[in-house]
Amino acid sequence: MLHLSTAMVQRPKTREQDSQGRILEVVRRITKGRVCSYGEVARLAGLPRRARLVGTILKTTTARVPWQRVVNAQGRIVFPIGSDAHRRQRALLEREGVQFIGARIDLNRYGWGSDGSLDELLWDFRKR
DNA sequence: CGGTCGGCCCGCC
DNA sequence: CGGCGGGCCGACC
């Protein structure tokens, strides 16, 4: 399991960097074959109501994180259907076993949190 | 189901 | 400092 300290190799100085670190840390932990919404990632990172920031960070970061596992609260890829980005994200998700119904993912089935690893995350955060 | 409307809050002019 | 818009969200029609 990834230890928290490994994700913080570069200690954040500003609040912005801190937020970014926390968000990327949560995204990194989303289990393969699961998805999580922007808003949920924000909440888990301790940044409620910052869904848009999650999007901004995923767009700009160069860090290798499983960005494809973040979708909107309706279980849909945010990129326009037909765009390269949309196809790319969908292909990555399908490759890890996530099924689509039309353009939608059933969050009750593939939403992160129904597989136990989320409990580990919360436990880790509580220990800090 | 799809469309709109605020609300959100920071990042970037 | 003031405005604007974003890989969003929930409520509502």
Side-chain angles (χ1 to χ4, degrees):
Chain A
M1 178 180 67
L2 175 67
H3 191 276
L4 291 176
S5 58
T6 61
M8 314 272 279
V9 266
Q10 304 166 60
R11 205 144 302 142
K13 298 177 171 124
T14 67
R15 191 160 69 91
E16 178 187 342
Q17 289 172 357
D18 183 52
S19 301
Q20 166 156 329
R22 298 163 70 104
I23 286 168
L24 293 179
E25 186 179 337
V26 170
V27 173
R28 263 189 294 261
R29 286 168 174 247
I30 304 173
T31 316
K32 184 177 178 186
R34 298 273 167 183
V35 294
C36 189
S37 76
Y38 295 87
E40 181 71 358
V41 167
R43 279 190 292 280
L44 291 169
L47 300 164
R49 295 178 296 282
R50 302 306 312 285
R52 306 193 91 135
L53 178 64
V54 174
T56 308
I57 287 172
L58 290 183
K59 180 173 67 171
T60 56
T61 187
T62 56
R64 286 210 319 278
V65 297
W67 57 272
Q68 74 272 19
R69 296 177 192 155
V70 185
V71 297
N72 74 16
Q74 287 80 51
R76 301 159 79 64
I77 288 170
V78 298
F79 303 114
I81 294 177
S83 65
D84 284 346
H86 189 284
R87 269 192 294 277
R88 191 159 48 242
Q89 184 169 5
R90 176 161 176 158
L92 285 170
L93 286 174
E94 288 181 325
R95 192 179 306 167
E96 27 187 88
V98 175
Q99 289 185 21
F100 286 73
I101 302 168
R104 194 110 127 298
I105 297 163
D106 180 0
L107 294 181
N108 289 321
R109 185 162 161 193
Y110 295 104
W112 189 35
S114 37
D115 77 339
S117 68
L118 194 47
D119 299 324
E120 261 181 53
L121 171 77
L122 294 172
W123 174 245
D124 267 359
F125 278 5
R126 190 161 313 179
K127 278 193 305 191
R128 282 199 200 176

